[in-house]
Every structure is written in C-alpha cells, then in structure tokens.
Amino acid sequence: MYRIVTKTPLNPTVTQMEIEAPLVARKAKPGQFIILRVNADGERIPLTVAGTDPDRGTVKIIFQIVGATTEKLNHMQQGEYLQDFVGPLGVATHTEGIKKVCIVGGGVGCAIAMPVAQEFHRLGAEVTSIIGFRSKDLLILEDEFRACSDRIEVMTDDGSYGRHGNVTVPLKEMLEAGEQFDLIITIGPLIMMKFVVLTAKPFGVPVTVSMNPIMIDGTGMCGGCRLTLHRDGKNITKFACVDGPDFNGYEVDFDEAMSRGRMYADFERHAYTEACNLFRKEA
Amino acid sequence: MAINPKKHEMPTQAPEVRAHNFNEVALGYPVEIAVDEAKRCLNCKNRPCVAGCPVNIHIPEFISKIKENDFEGAYQIISGSSSLPAVCGRVCPQETQCESKCTLGIKFEPVGIGRLERFVADWHNAHATEAPAVPEQNGHKVAIVGSGPSGLTCAGDLAKKGYKVTVYEALHTAGGVLVYGIPEFRLPKAIVAKEVETLKALGVDVEPNVVIGKTLTVDELFEMGYEAVFIGSGAGLPNFMGIPGESLKGVYSANEFLTRSNLMKAYRDDPETPIMKGGKVAVVGGGNVAMDAARTALRLGAEHVYIVYRRSMDELPARREEVEHAMEEGIDFRLLNNPVEILGYQNPDDPRDPKNGFVTGMRCIKMELGEPDAKGRRRPIPIPGSEFTLDVDTVIIAIGTSPNPLIKSTTKGLEVNSHGGIIVNEDGLTSREAVYAGGDAVTGAATVISAMGAGKVAAKAIDEYLMRSSNT
C-alpha cells in the first residue's frame, strides 16, 4: 500500500499528490511514468511522474479528473493509501547534447512537461517554455515554469490570462524570427501535439512528443498501447510502455492515436457518471 | 477384475450452460471415481510416466496412495516434486506427457493421471488444516523475477531446501500467466491464490508492483544480498500479423483481451476496466491461447465466435481437449483461412462519427496445404482469387508473443538469441554468473509445465552452485 503524503488542488479539475513509494522515487527520471490502482479491483491507469524526492521517498503525480478512476483518486485524502503504485516505467526523456530546447505544454500536459523543463535547466540548457490553457482558472505550475525557463510564454485559448491564442502562435513567431532550437518537446492533448509538429515542420526542427495511450500492464505484455510510426515509407508498430512514451513527432500517426484513444468513450462516460453519482450519494 | 479399457470421463458443466458463465468447465472426479481410476494403474516396474513428466512427479506412488484412500499421503508425494499440483492437474497437456507414456495406454486408454493429480490437490486444499512447516533456514538468499509458473516452482523448491526466497512481481497480483492469461473457467483464480499462499507459508516473500529492470535491476538485487537470481519474466510483447487495419478499434492482442477479462475482471457485470462484449468475434490463431480467447469472448456475450487458422485441424497446436470443449460450446472453426486485411467503418460525410475507426469485418483468403516445411508441418499456400469477408466487430490476434524486453535491456552481460530469448545452458544458467532463467523468457511462448520444469532445473542448479560456493 502506498501512502498519500500530500494532496494539493492545483485548479478545480487538476490535483497534485505526493505518494510514498521509495523505490520508485529513487529511480524515476523525467519523462517516465507510473501505473496505479486506487483500490482493489480498480482500473490500472498510467500517470507521468511530475517529480520525485528520493530523500523523503516520495513521487509527485498530477492528474486531471477525466473519468471514474481519476474521480475516485481525487476523493482519496492525505494519509490514506493507494492499493498499487508501480514504476518507473517507460524510457526517460533523452537530454544528451541538447543546448537549446523549447518545451511546449498544454493543459495538464504541463505537469509532465515541467520536470522535463527543470531537468534541461539543471543540465544548463537554454529553456524556452510555451504553456497553454483553455482559460485562466485552469492555469497550473506557472511559477515552477518561470523558475526553470530562460523565456516563457503563457497562452490561454480565451485570452483570460497571458496571451490570447494557442501554443503554436508564439512557437511559429519564434521559428520565423530565426530561433534555432536543437529540439522541441511537446506534451499535451494529441491534437495540440499534432499541430506543434505541423508548425515546426517547415523549419526542420526535431520534435519529440509524449504519448499517453490506453495501457494496462505497462511492462510490454498486453500490446494495448501500440501506435504506428511512419518511417522510410513503412508502417512500424511501437509500444508506448516500453519503447516510449517519447517518440519522434514526425513519425507518429496522430489520427490513429486519437481514434484509438476514444475506443472506450461510451464506457468511460458511463463509468464517470456512475462514480460521480456514488460520491454525491455519500456526500 | 478386468481393467476398464477407458479412463473415467471428467464430469463437466454442460456446454450450453457453461458457454454463458465463467465457472470452471471441468468439475473434477468425485472420491469413488478417483479411487476407481487409480485402480486402473498397473503400477508397472519401469514407470515410464515419471520420465514423461517435466517435473518427474512420482506418479505410481501417489496413485497407490489414492487406491489406499490416503489422499493426503498422495498429496505429500506430489508436492515433493511439484509446487503447483492444483494448477498442473488442470492445465498440463498430460496427453502428450505422462499419459502418453503410460503402459496401460499401449492397449487401452492411459490412466487419467492429470485428473487424479487434480483430485488429490483439490482434496488437500479442501481438507488440509495444518500449514506446512517452515523449513530450517540455511541463511542464503535468492531472488526470483516473476511469479508465473517457472518462478513459483523455483521459489518453492528453494524454500523447501531452506533458502530465503523473495519473488518480485511486476503486476499487482502474483501468478503471472496463471492469473492474467488462463481464464477462470479453465483455472479458477482462487486456486492460483491458494498455491501462492502455500508458498508464502513456506516462508517465500512475494513483492508485487516491482518491475525488475526498472524499479530494481538485477545488479541491485545482488547488492541487496541476494546470492543468485532466477529470471522467469515470461512472454512479452504480442506479435501482430502486419496486415492493414490492425490498429482499428476492436482489434486486440490475445494478451490484452485476456488480461482485461482475467486480471482486471472485465468479465464481471459492472467492471472498472472495459472490454468489448457481444457482437461477432474472430480469433486469429490455433493455439491454447486462441481457444482461451475464443471461449472468453463467447462467455462475454458474443453472438458468434470464429477461430481463423491458416492450417487444418491436424496441425492445430491447441490441446485436443480444449478444441473439443470449444467446438461443443459452438465456436466456429474456419480452418485453412488466413486474414489479409481488417476492415473498419469510416463515415464519408462525418469525420466525427463515433463509429468511425471500429472494426466491421476481416478479409481472409483460403489456403491449401503444400509440402512440409523444415519443421515437418505442411506449409499453407494461398489460393488465388479466394478472398472473402468475414463480418465481425472484434478481432483478437493470438499468434504468439516474443520474450519480455525489459530485463535484457537493463542487465549488462545477459545474452539473448535472435528472438530475444535469454540464452541458458542445460542448468538454466545464463551468460551471467549466478543468474539463471527459464520459462517463456527463455523459450518464447510454451506451456505452463515446461516453464515449471525449467524452474525446477534452475532451483537444483542454484542450490548446487550456492552450496559449492559457500563450502569453498
């Protein structure tokens, strides 16, 4: 069992928790993920590691309430225990040789982007961060990004905070102004990552995307997290759990990934409603 | 008394009933039938059955105890060789192992050794009250990677010799393929849990949620004081066919489909983990895993389930008993057929139609058998122009797996073959000193009992190695 050491709401739908998991805390690197189950018989869900404190033996996770399991997770309180917590899984983000990086995060994806930005900052790279949200009340981690970025752009879709527009606007401006990034790393909704790739393409800048498909075991057994890469005119099947979650953005078949991500949409909507009703009854 | 030429039939749930529930299909021998079946054993001098068993259970001896109504005595004899008797009695392919060597089988049907083993194990689990005594500790520590059949066997054998054994499991429940792969109706999970509890009572520690290669490395296990490591990390990534449409919604690997149903309990009425239920289902492949997936789909409420296999009935690799059970339940075998494309729905007018991207059918081509290949199996050849479409909503690919990639990529000096299987010698020793391996991680997908055999061989070798090194 894994104790919830702290619980902090970051906005009305996003919560941060620190979980006591010393073995994971000792090992996890930016870009890696964990799988947890809230309770026995619960679903296994993957969440990217948002930070670690090896001395205290804790792992930070940040999640958005999107379905039944994250709803249940959000009802857990400090001092309570999660049933299962396993990791770190996946391959850490490659940082070698990158001197100048642009981190593009969207929504709760910023929670994953943040430790990556911090790691590049720690390694002495020049970090540009572009973080985008739907509106001001969904903004998270702005201070953390400011602390590890040489330059930052905060965007909102509705213009309620920072600049009005989506993350590709400043990215395009920078690239057109002749900014030379060694690498763009983008983490957020699939549709956003797809457009970041399209924006960067004319400039030939490498783009790494962080994929978060439906997953069960997370150890390279079930094959549910497969995605298709287009490389040299061939279709290659890769598994996000062991080959990723980071992939070359120019190779990923985003349309297929978006379609696969909606496989259980009906089930999930129903389960979410049920979970919400359950908590309403208890309250 | 004349010997009954046939072995006693296994009582089973009626096909039309069991096709709609997840309860165990085979019900087990009652006491009188077990004793009667045991009496068919000739207790012959050369005991060929023992050599046919990968873990060399003392078969005639335990059967003699059944004849004497000493069922606990029979259990003690079996458990001296096997750590998982209730499992083996259910899932071993006895017809190609112990029973295929049975002397009685020359003239008649062989003794139902597997059924008797199951009877003894179930009797013990229902009646035994005393926990097994924890063996005297010898002070040596061994780590086991993976709690599947090879790991549990290796752990059990070493624990009985006095080793302090820790089993590390990546998933949240111990049992490996016995819990995520083999369905409830063939191997109830309560039985696996019971076998694991028996090992814990022997002093074995089981640590779930630890992925060796990620959470801890093999090298760290040695730093933690383990003197030998056994890797039984099992089968890994599922193989796909490489045909168009395999990423459509409704296409599963058998591993994923079975894991959702078995490990994550998606077969229950109100599960937390989703699975596609109902509709028409095609399972591609002809092994035991394909049979398990097809019969699971049927029980989840499918209207029609096909097995699509590119060779003929004679080449079907699944156990005969499983094939017969599947046929009785109404699984539709489409033999000498090979998929060429999986078809999906796409609304030309609405790219946001929620039905877009779901499976609607599978294009297949008819096959005929040509000359035998290097393995002696007749090679299937497509018949030009014979393509047709099977109308299905779900496709489950059960054409095998390749060994798990996590450990080899994080363990220096661990050599693997071109298929990714860990290379071992006849003792199960890998290219690293004190690191042993067995089961699907070595061989690729095989049987539970062969994995158990490998765990047993490695346990013996680990014992000899550690006794040798501690005496010098």
Side-chain angles (χ1 to χ4, degrees):
Chain A
M1 302 284 274
Y2 303 82
R3 191 164 63 94
I4 302 169
V5 181
T6 65
K7 178 185 176 187
T8 320
L10 298 186
N11 75 27
T13 62
V14 175
T15 302
Q16 172 179 301
M17 283 179 178
E18 284 180 292
I19 310 295
E20 194 170 69
L23 291 178
V24 185
R26 225 156 46 88
K27 279 293 172 63
K29 297 246 171 1
Q32 291 188 297
F33 65 94
I34 58 92
I35 284 186
L36 64 78
R37 287 199 315 160
V38 177
N39 52 304
D41 289 346
E43 205 184 1
R44 291 170 69 92
I45 59 161
L47 288 173
T48 304
V49 172
T52 56
D53 187 337
D55 296 333
R56 288 164 63 224
T58 59
V59 179
K60 193 190 288 176
I61 52 170
I62 296 177
F63 59 92
Q64 184 166 26
I65 303 155
V66 290
T69 300
T70 41
E71 174 74 22
K72 280 177 198 159
L73 181 57
N74 198 45
H75 277 266
M76 299 292 285
Q77 302 304 329
Q78 189 173 319
E80 293 185 315
Y81 290 81
L82 300 181
Q83 181 77 27
D84 299 293
F85 192 91
V86 57
L89 301 166
V91 181
T93 301
H94 292 292
T95 50
E96 310 86 65
I98 306 293
K99 301 263 185 313
K100 200 168 165 173
V101 65
C102 181
I103 311 281
V104 185
V108 75
C110 292
I112 309 166
M114 191 248 304
V116 176
Q118 287 172 334
E119 178 72 358
F120 277 107
H121 180 70
R122 193 183 66 80
L123 294 169
E126 185 185 325
V127 177
T128 299
S129 295
I130 304 173
I131 55 175
F133 305 89
R134 283 212 308 278
S135 70
K136 188 184 173 194
D137 28 309
L138 299 177
L139 178 76
I140 55 169
L141 304 171
E142 185 188 0
D143 293 343
E144 285 83 349
F145 272 101
R146 288 204 182 276
C148 66
S149 306
D150 297 275
R151 178 167 48 159
I152 182 165
E153 292 273 8
V154 183
M155 310 295 294
T156 51
D157 292 353
D158 63 0
S160 54
Y161 187 81
R163 280 180 68 188
H164 189 182
N166 62 46
V167 292
T168 55
V169 175
L171 178 64
K172 194 169 178 212
E173 287 169 4
M174 289 175 198
L175 292 169
E176 280 175 343
E179 203 55 84
Q180 304 278 330
F181 296 116
D182 298 326
L183 179 67
I184 297 168
I185 297 182
T186 179
I187 305 171
L190 287 168
I191 189 77
M192 182 200 89
M193 295 196 286
K194 178 180 172 177
F195 278 95
V196 167
V197 170
L198 290 174
T199 305
K201 196 170 184 184
F203 302 92
V205 188
V207 182
T208 294
V209 299
S210 175
M211 303 299 284
N212 187 13
I214 296 172
M215 226 174 244
I216 308 176
D217 64 299
T219 63
M221 186 272 284
C222 84
C225 66
R226 66 189 180 276
L227 44 95
T228 303
L229 301 186
H230 303 296
R231 186 182 295 167
D232 306 328
K234 285 200 200 94
N235 288 342
I236 304 170
T237 298
K238 288 281 178 184
F239 301 93
C241 70
V242 288
D243 300 319
D246 288 358
F247 290 94
N248 176 349
Y250 293 111
E251 296 182 338
V252 171
D253 186 330
F254 283 103
D255 294 340
E256 179 190 288
M258 282 186 255
S259 175
R260 285 183 63 78
R262 288 192 293 266
M263 179 155 172
Y264 299 106
D266 284 348
F267 178 95
E268 284 160 2
R269 213 169 11 252
H270 173 74
Y272 183 33
T273 316
E274 294 274 299
C276 292
N277 289 342
L278 192 71
F279 287 120
R280 211 167 293 141
K281 242 179 261 165
E282 282 175 8
Chain B
M1 192 180 67
I3 289 175
N4 186 343
K6 288 192 173 293
K7 63 177 156 184
H8 288 83
E9 295 245 355
M10 175 61 103
T12 55
Q13 282 195 72
E16 57 278 11
V17 175
R18 69 183 191 234
H20 305 289
N21 69 48
F22 275 86
N23 300 334
E24 196 171 11
V25 168
L27 302 172
Y29 279 162
V31 172
E32 315 76 62
I33 294 196
V35 174
D36 227 31
E37 181 65 25
K39 286 179 182 159
R40 295 181 67 232
C41 175
L42 303 171
N43 212 354
C44 58
K45 213 163 61 184
N46 49 351
R47 315 155 78 232
C49 51
V50 179
C53 172
V55 297
N56 305 121
I57 290 174
H58 298 180
I59 293 166
E61 286 86 342
F62 95 74
I63 291 180
S64 297
K65 291 286 181 192
I66 301 178
K67 290 181 195 171
E68 297 161 14
N69 278 289
D70 178 5
F71 308 132
E72 183 57 28
Y75 179 82
Q76 292 308 329
I77 289 170
I78 297 176
S79 68
S81 311
S82 168
S83 299
L84 308 169
V87 172
C88 293
R90 287 172 165 81
V91 302
C92 268
Q94 291 99 5
E95 64 279 9
T96 60
Q97 297 180 340
C98 52
E99 293 180 18
S100 74
K101 309 276 198 257
C102 176
T103 303
L104 189 66
I106 297 168
K107 242 175 125 178
F108 304 126
E109 282 190 5
V111 177
I113 300 169
R115 293 167 186 180
L116 290 175
E117 180 184 22
R118 172 187 160 149
F119 165 78
V120 167
D122 287 356
W123 192 93
H124 170 84
N125 284 343
H127 295 89
T129 45
E130 275 176 49
V134 177
E136 196 183 328
Q137 298 288 296
N138 68 12
H140 293 282
K141 285 170 72 182
V142 178
I144 309 277
V145 181
S147 65
S150 71
L152 292 180
T153 300
C154 193
D157 280 18
L158 288 170
K160 285 175 196 160
K161 289 192 164 81
Y163 288 87
K164 184 68 204 155
V165 180
T166 307
V167 180
Y168 291 100
E169 167 57 44
L171 293 171
H172 54 259
T173 308
V177 73
L178 307 175
V179 291
Y180 77 73
I182 301 177
E184 181 78 15
F185 57 82
R186 213 148 68 74
L187 179 62
K189 300 310 144 216
I191 284 172
V192 181
K194 177 87 187 168
E195 304 268 37
V196 172
E197 286 311 312
T198 305
L199 289 180
K200 284 184 181 166
L202 282 172
V204 173
D205 287 328
V206 179
E207 296 276 353
N209 295 327
V210 180
V211 184
I212 300 300
K214 289 286 182 187
T215 318
L216 292 169
T217 62
V218 169
D219 292 293
E220 284 170 314
L221 292 175
F222 285 108
E223 287 164 22
M224 290 161 69
Y226 294 105
E227 296 157 87
V229 173
F230 174 78
I231 301 172
S233 53
L237 293 165
N239 297 334
F240 289 90
M241 290 175 288
I243 62 172
E246 282 181 302
S247 292
L248 288 164
K249 289 173 279 190
V251 182
Y252 290 98
S253 74
N255 271 7
E256 180 183 356
F257 189 76
L258 291 170
T259 300
R260 282 179 182 274
S261 181
N262 300 331
L263 179 72
M264 305 311 297
K265 317 276 181 226
Y267 69 84
R268 291 184 182 166
D269 284 341
D270 195 12
E272 299 209 13
T273 298
I275 195 165
M276 297 222 350
K277 296 180 181 178
K280 298 194 178 79
V281 181
V283 179
V284 181
N288 289 321
V289 174
M291 300 306 135
D292 284 346
R295 298 171 70 199
T296 296
L298 187 72
R299 286 160 172 76
L300 285 171
E303 302 158 29
H304 200 94
V305 183
Y306 302 97
I307 289 272
V308 176
Y309 178 60
R310 61 193 182 137
R311 291 185 165 95
S312 73
M313 190 54 91
D314 291 341
E315 292 82 21
L316 209 65
R319 283 185 74 186
R320 196 54 33 189
E321 181 182 310
E322 303 305 326
V323 175
E324 281 163 13
H325 280 162
M327 285 180 152
E328 287 166 11
E329 290 165 15
I331 306 287
D332 186 353
F333 282 71
R334 297 298 177 99
L335 306 173
L336 290 165
N337 284 309
N338 203 31
V340 291
E341 181 180 4
I342 301 166
L343 310 170
Y345 182 80
Q346 195 63 45
N347 185 334
D349 303 320
D350 183 4
R352 303 179 78 91
D353 188 328
K355 293 204 290 290
N356 285 346
F358 277 95
V359 172
T360 57
M362 185 163 78
R363 290 286 289 167
C364 299
I365 188 163
K366 297 200 162 128
M367 313 290 277
E368 58 189 352
L369 292 179
E371 294 302 309
D373 61 14
K375 284 184 187 162
R377 286 204 299 184
R378 292 180 67 191
R379 196 190 302 274
I381 304 163
I383 302 171
S386 67
E387 289 92 343
F388 65 100
T389 300
L390 215 52
D391 175 19
V392 292
D393 313 282
T394 301
V395 175
I396 302 167
I397 318 266
I399 57 168
T401 58
S402 46
N404 194 302
L406 282 185
I407 289 182
K408 69 171 187 240
S409 61
T410 54
T411 310
K412 279 205 191 81
L414 188 70
E415 286 174 22
V416 298
N417 63 28
S418 59
H419 302 291
I422 299 170
I423 297 172
V424 297
N425 72 5
E426 65 281 3
D427 288 335
L429 179 64
T430 68
S431 52
R432 282 274 306 258
E433 191 186 351
V435 179
Y436 295 75
D440 285 6
V442 167
T443 57
T447 60
V448 168
I449 189 68
S450 66
M452 290 182 57
K456 196 168 187 64
V457 166
K460 183 163 176 280
I462 289 170
D463 176 47
E464 286 166 3
Y465 165 75
L466 290 178
M467 288 302 115
R468 203 164 55 232
S469 35
S470 63
N471 289 338
T472 52

